[in-house]
Amino acid sequence: MSADLGDRPKPEPFDELQNVYDVLEHVRQRPGMFVRNGSLDELGLLLSGYGLALRIHGVDEQFDLDPAGPFAQWLSWTRGWPMVCGWAMAIEQNRGDEPPLEAFFRLLDEWRVGLAAASNAPAGA
């Protein structure tokens, strides 16, 4: 069994994590430790707790993964999906045969690439 883990990068220790995307890399590498059965509902709850902890402790971190936050707005705009129940339900209902967490991470990666491209675009473009 340990041979299967040899190709995976070792996750950073929790006390070295910088933001929600570092946390999500832990989830991506070891989903069974964080979400039961690859459930997007479970992932949504984990992220809601993360967002709540940021607010409670006054941490200045942009958090775009609220159920109706910028990530959900992007999904609605680019896919035409309703966000009445948040991004987790929208992905779950529109993922086809793709496993839920794989669909989430594929879409999250696409969104982040778009954000990076937009931040590198010349002013006025």
Side-chain angles (χ1 to χ4, degrees):
M1 185 170 187
S2 62
D4 295 338
L5 301 176
D7 293 339
R8 285 194 231 170
K10 185 176 179 182
E12 297 175 31
F14 287 119
D15 61 349
E16 293 180 17
L17 302 181
Q18 298 294 311
N19 57 43
V20 70
Y21 300 108
D22 289 349
V23 172
L24 286 170
E25 282 307 310
H26 274 266
V27 174
R28 187 189 309 246
Q29 291 175 18
R30 292 185 173 73
M33 288 180 62
F34 298 95
V35 294
R36 288 181 286 188
N37 302 318
S39 166
L40 292 184
D41 287 334
E42 295 270 334
L43 180 61
L45 289 171
L46 178 124
L47 292 172
S48 291
Y50 185 95
L52 180 61
L54 292 175
R55 288 189 292 277
I56 288 172
H57 295 288
V59 176
D60 185 23
E61 176 183 328
Q62 183 170 338
F63 183 70
D64 296 331
L65 299 170
D66 280 323
F71 177 63
Q73 293 167 9
W74 174 82
L75 285 172
S76 179
W77 184 69
T78 61
R79 303 301 194 280
W81 298 344
M83 289 295 138
V84 175
C85 295
W87 57 259
M89 181 65 71
I91 293 171
E92 189 71 47
Q93 291 176 344
N94 293 284
R95 66 184 169 82
D97 293 335
E98 187 176 18
L101 280 178
E102 286 182 27
F104 168 78
F105 282 115
R106 177 181 52 77
L107 291 163
L108 183 71
D109 291 345
E110 183 181 329
W111 179 62
R112 292 186 71 197
V113 165
L115 287 178
S119 70
N120 292 329

